[in-house]
Amino acid sequence: MIRLNNLLKGNTGLMRMFYTMGIILSLVSLMAFALHDDKTRYEPATNLILVKDSVASVKAFEKVYRVLMSPRCMNCHPSGNIPLQGDDSHLHTMNPQRGTDGKGVYAMKCSNCHQPANIPGKNSPPGNPDWHLPPANMKMVFQGRSPYQLARQLVDPKQNGNKDLKKLLEHADDGLVLAGWNPGEGRTLPPMSHAEFKKAWTTWLTTGAYAPKK
């Protein structure tokens, strides 16, 4: 110990190295303690520590569900192959079809009417550079889904477009998701702000993505 103290005296670089090592070891110990609980795990892809909490998760999904079932989301996630339209979610009056890639069929493509930006005027076609329905092989239906059914569907890679946790978290900021809060004149907004929705979405996913019982 005396030799070590003598060695460290006047050696600023060595002292800093030992100090840094001490901090790293402390952080590793804290991480190990935090992850000791079987309800807690570290997710490298997202750099998040996930804590399972069924109560908080289900409560957050209740908010998520309200948004996803609003016309701004559900209209592009119909049970059939025709998109829905309006605040009452009626079948699209132009009768467009989903098509293989979700962008329409033959000469009736979504982009024919839905331009890269909203067209001015009340109830004019809303716009987005990538306007489309989910593709035919991954329809991601919202219409008619119960909270339990939709929650299970959203985290199933075979039904959600092969999205893992990282991609699901990122999807909250997808261009078409954001378009729901910029729908054009004459349309109601989702029942909460995008910031509130993203917070609920993130909480639901990072606390276990639990599905409500019904």
Side-chain angles (χ1 to χ4, degrees), residues 50-165:
L50 311 182
V51 181
K52 288 188 177 181
D53 185 337
S54 60
V55 175
S57 190
V58 169
K59 186 176 181 180
F61 188 75
E62 290 173 356
K63 295 182 178 180
V64 169
Y65 185 76
R66 285 170 53 206
V67 171
L68 300 188
M69 298 305 286
S70 72
R72 301 290 75 78
C73 292
M74 192 176 69
N75 284 1
C76 287
H77 292 268
S79 57
N81 288 317
I82 301 175
L84 307 178
Q85 191 178 42
D87 286 347
D88 61 352
S89 297
H90 60 267
L91 288 175
H92 199 299
T93 54
M94 298 295 290
N95 199 37
Q97 301 294 311
R98 183 188 301 273
T100 302
D101 59 1
K103 297 182 179 182
V105 296
Y106 305 117
M108 188 176 284
K109 298 292 187 180
C110 300
S111 59
N112 289 357
C113 294
H114 296 278
Q115 301 301 303
N118 292 341
I119 295 176
K122 189 173 182 180
N123 296 321
S124 296
N128 185 275
D130 193 34
W131 196 275
H132 67 278
L133 295 180
N137 65 348
M138 197 76 68
K139 293 184 178 182
M140 274 304 298
V141 175
F142 290 1
Q143 185 183 16
R145 293 287 193 262
S146 69
Y148 171 82
Q149 291 171 329
L150 189 52
R152 293 293 298 271
Q153 175 180 288
L154 288 169
V155 294
D156 181 0
K158 294 181 179 179
Q159 299 184 72
N160 71 9
N162 302 307
K163 292 181 176 64
D164 57 13
L165 176 61

Side-chain angles (χ1 to χ4, degrees), residues 148-201:
Y148 171 82
Q149 291 171 329
L150 189 52
R152 293 293 298 271
Q153 175 180 288
L154 288 169
V155 294
D156 181 0
K158 294 181 179 179
Q159 299 184 72
N160 71 9
N162 302 307
K163 292 181 176 64
D164 57 13
L165 176 61
K166 183 175 184 293
K167 290 180 179 178
L168 284 170
L169 288 168
E170 292 173 348
H171 193 66
D173 292 317
D174 177 82
L176 281 179
V177 173
L178 292 171
W181 282 268
N182 182 33
E185 186 182 352
R187 298 179 181 88
T188 59
L189 295 174
M192 66 188 69
S193 70
H194 177 262
E196 290 175 300
F197 167 74
K198 184 176 178 179
K199 181 179 179 180
W201 176 254

